[in-house]
Amino acid sequence: MKKVDIVGGGIAGLALAGTLDPSQFHVTVYEHRAGLPAVGTTLAMWPEAQEALASLGILGAVRENSPVIRGGALRSATGVPWLSVEGQNLVGVARHTLLRLLDSAVPPTVQRRIEKLDAVPGDAHLTVAADGVHSLVRRSVWGQARSAKLTPCLAVRGVIAQEPGSETIGEYWGRGDLFGIGPSSGGTNWYASFRSRMGPEEIDVGEALAVARRRYAGHSQGIQHVLQAATPETSLAQRIWTTPPLWRYSRGNVVLIGDAAHAMAPNLGRGACESLIDAVTLGKLVNTLPLYQALKAYNHQRVLRTQQYRIGSSLMMRVALAEGAQPLRDKLLDLAAKRKSKAPGRSKTSQ
């Protein structure tokens, strides 16, 4: 039995533990936090991520517990719709639900160890870094120059019990801020992002909500309704961190997956999806190929794609949170909305 150490028991780590062949590998998952998160903010599962969930045998359960995201609109800060966005068979799953179902897919032979490592385990056939944007493994093996990078943006997000009206669903772009409203299981999932000096560590959620309420006081009534209903107990607040560029995710017998490899801004909604795809791809390759060939194939299949998403999400964050260029951005979106409404076979009400 070959020993595999997975550092990190989040989405990527559990998905990999559920994919590796228990007849070939003795797997240990190291996770420094016990239990599941209490706040169930929603993650959009794109079709390829759903395929990964299907290979783990949990796609049906995810769909049973999650709403379908049928689309929404890109809107101005006051709520005027610019562009409609059609759903692409996306499923919105609560993070704690996804983690619970991924945990159920892990074979009982996998050893769980609840501890915070201060050094990378060194005696395994394969060591996998699934320990997030602040990855100990990445810093230890790739060097401190590959430490996480702090952005100037704060993310505040949560859920409320009331379901969203169709006229409020979408993403709102203001001057230096954005706000999103969408469905969650039994309520509304929301998220906000804007530049802030809060943190970066130990951010008080109640204080962050108060800042957000002041920040969005002049925005649409839909946004203000959500923020008034939000509570610290069902919300999260954290600064946004990203990883620097990496052009290879393995060194020797150490490999990076998920946010440890390519933590990105949340603006494309691909972070959790790509973590799942990383894990299932790596697991299937390691199950069927010698380790050197498996890691070579993993790099070939995953590095370029995920680095493109990392760059694209950063660019999208700059556009969505534009300040000086915000009037020009809004004017261009206004023109695009008018041109689309005048296209043959469409009416303004279809927007």
Side-chain angles (χ1 to χ4, degrees):
M1 296 282 284
K2 297 173 182 177
K3 189 173 185 293
V4 176
D5 287 334
I6 301 174
V7 182
I11 291 171
L14 291 176
L16 178 60
T19 303
L20 289 170
D21 182 357
S23 69
Q24 297 186 61
F25 303 107
H26 175 71
V27 179
T28 301
V29 176
Y30 295 86
E31 172 57 43
H32 69 276
R33 287 178 289 193
L36 297 176
V39 179
T41 53
T42 299
L43 304 169
M45 294 288 104
W46 292 73
E48 288 170 285
Q50 292 182 49
E51 292 175 11
L53 295 172
S55 74
L56 287 160
I58 61 172
L59 177 58
V62 167
R63 286 177 171 168
E64 288 174 6
N65 289 275
S66 309
V68 175
I69 300 175
R70 303 191 183 281
L74 178 60
R75 304 173 186 271
S76 70
T78 57
V80 176
W82 281 316
L83 300 170
S84 62
V85 180
E86 301 297 330
Q88 299 185 32
N89 297 317
L90 306 187
V91 174
V93 59
R95 180 181 291 274
H96 64 77
T97 298
L98 178 60
L99 287 169
R100 174 176 57 81
L101 292 172
L102 287 170
D103 188 75
S104 72
V106 175
T109 54
V110 171
Q111 183 179 2
R112 316 292 189 100
R113 296 186 63 173
I114 307 300
E115 62 179 285
K116 185 174 183 178
L117 299 176
D118 54 15
V120 180
D123 61 345
H125 171 71
L126 175 64
T127 299
V128 182
D131 51 343
V133 64
H134 298 291
S135 172
L136 164 71
V137 180
R138 187 184 67 247
R139 287 182 283 114
S140 298
V141 179
W142 273 257
Q144 292 297 325
R146 293 295 180 264
S147 296
K149 305 299 182 183
L150 179 64
T151 75
C153 299
L154 177 71
V156 190
R157 50 201 166 95
V159 292
I160 61 172
Q162 301 94 320
E163 294 186 0
S166 59
E167 73 284 357
T168 66
I169 292 175
E171 191 162 278
Y172 302 70
W173 288 5
R175 185 179 180 85
D177 56 49
L178 66 83
F179 199 96
I181 297 174
S184 71
S185 180
T188 294
N189 180 74
W190 64 271
Y191 55 91
S193 186
F194 50 91
R195 287 171 176 81
S196 173
R197 294 183 179 180
M198 295 184 72
E201 307 294 341
E202 302 297 328
I203 295 175
D204 182 87
V205 180
E207 182 181 350
L209 279 174
V211 170
R213 290 180 183 121
R214 292 193 296 270
R215 175 86 194 202
Y216 294 93
H219 289 48
S220 79
Q221 288 298 314
I223 292 176
Q224 294 183 57
H225 170 76
V226 168
L227 286 174
Q228 288 305 316
T231 66
E233 293 74 25
T234 59
S235 305
L236 297 171
Q238 56 196 170
R239 287 288 290 275
I240 297 175
W241 296 75
T242 62
T243 55
L246 290 171
W247 304 114
R248 186 172 180 83
Y249 292 163
S250 65
R251 284 193 174 181
N253 68 334
V254 179
V255 63
L256 309 173
I257 63 175
D259 282 354
H262 47 70
M264 59 189 75
N267 298 73
L268 294 180
R270 303 291 310 205
C273 293
E274 297 308 314
S275 294
L276 280 168
I277 299 167
D278 281 355
V280 171
T281 299
L282 178 64
K284 290 180 176 180
L285 289 169
V286 171
N287 285 345
T288 56
L289 295 173
L291 184 61
Y292 172 78
Q293 294 180 23
L295 296 182
K296 182 178 180 181
Y298 172 72
N299 280 295
H300 178 73
Q301 293 181 36
R302 299 301 301 153
V303 172
L304 180 59
R305 171 193 173 105
T306 52
Q307 289 297 313
Q308 286 175 331
Y309 279 130
R310 185 190 62 79
I311 294 169
S313 63
S314 178
L315 292 173
M316 183 62 76
M317 182 170 70
R318 292 184 183 183
V319 174
L321 300 180
E323 290 184 316
Q326 175 257 335
L328 175 60
R329 181 202 68 192
D330 290 4
K331 184 176 181 179
L332 292 173
L333 286 168
D334 283 335
L335 289 173
K338 290 176 182 177
R339 290 185 63 183
K340 191 170 183 180
S341 69
K342 294 177 180 178
R346 297 186 64 88
S347 67
K348 292 184 180 181
T349 57
S350 68
Q351 304 303 309

